[in-house]
Amino acid sequence: MPRPVPNLRRRAILRGLALGVVGGGAALWIAAGRKATRFAYAGTPDTRQPVIPLALPDDQGGQFDLSRHRGQVVMIYFGYTHCPDVCPTTLGVMADAMRDLGPDAPRVLPVFVTLDPKRDTAAALHVYLANFDPPPLGLSAGPAATAAAAKDWDIAWRFADGGAFIDHSSVVTVVGPDGRVRLRYGFSQLQDGRVLANDLRHLLCEG
């Protein structure tokens, strides 16, 4: 199945950009409780809520629980499969980063959480995410659980155009191997998978 082709001229990208930009430029992160190390991350440091729960059904018939993935770096992105451009573009950059990681890729888990569970069933998610190589793990839950998860992860969203589209924050949140939120990337910060992969490698080294 061909990978979705982004159309950056469509109006949904304007919504995503308006809600999802987290800031630009390189960021400086100081490792708490350790000897200070300096690294110019492409993403923006975010340690306001160091541990955030996420436990939802996945598209493979299981139950995802973030707390079970200590030792891995986890990339979490909220979106929906009918998104015409922002979501597939972001997922494409995440897939590029995973391929660039090479032998480190098994230590990184990309996760896609749908904001549109009525249309994005587990089966529909599985088919959609197969367009990306490697495919992220898809999470889909009921409306109440979806809204609660989005709130926990600081994702703003609302249905638009009679439910055909969703205005939502386009943000990738990266959780470190210790289970703590480390970085957030707005749409403008996710232009090159190699840059994202470099950040992820550094987090893996930090442990």
Side-chain angles (χ1 to χ4, degrees):
M1 181 178 296
R3 171 171 153 181
V5 177
N7 177 3
L8 299 181
R9 295 180 181 276
R10 297 184 66 170
R11 56 187 171 182
I13 193 170
L14 299 177
R15 297 182 178 129
L17 287 170
L19 288 169
V21 174
V22 175
L28 178 66
W29 179 76
I30 305 298
R34 303 179 184 180
K35 182 179 179 180
T37 58
R38 295 178 179 273
F39 180 79
Y41 283 110
T44 300
D46 186 342
T47 56
R48 293 171 298 166
Q49 300 182 63
V51 178
I52 306 175
L54 184 63
L56 298 172
D58 65 40
D59 66 328
Q60 300 178 6
Q63 179 75 17
F64 174 83
D65 188 335
L66 181 60
S67 67
R68 298 174 185 166
H69 292 271
R70 297 293 189 270
Q72 285 183 291
V73 166
V74 183
M75 294 188 287
I76 298 169
Y77 183 68
F78 286 74
Y80 66 113
T81 66
H82 288 75
C83 178
D85 31 47
V86 176
C87 295
T89 298
T90 300
L91 290 171
V93 173
M94 291 168 64
D96 290 343
M98 291 294 293
R99 291 193 298 273
D100 192 76
L101 283 169
D104 288 325
R107 299 176 62 196
V108 178
L109 177 65
V111 174
F112 179 79
V113 187
T114 182
L115 295 168
D116 191 10
K118 184 175 181 180
R119 291 185 292 183
D120 293 345
T121 62
L125 264 182
H126 194 74
V127 170
Y128 175 77
L129 294 174
N131 288 294
F132 304 93
D133 180 26
L137 182 68
L139 306 185
S140 180
T146 298
K151 182 178 180 181
D152 287 343
W153 289 85
D154 293 328
I155 302 299
W157 65 290
R158 63 178 180 270
F159 285 101
D161 293 345
F165 295 99
I166 297 177
D167 296 342
H168 67 94
S169 305
S170 184
V171 177
V172 173
T173 303
V174 176
V175 178
D178 59 356
R180 297 175 180 275
V181 173
R182 305 291 282 273
L183 298 166
R184 283 166 64 91
Y185 297 79
F187 185 80
S188 65
Q189 293 168 298
L190 287 169
Q191 302 300 312
D192 190 335
R194 293 170 298 180
V195 173
L196 174 58
N198 195 40
D199 281 6
L200 299 176
R201 284 192 192 93
H202 194 268
L203 285 180
L204 289 170
C205 291
E206 290 280 346

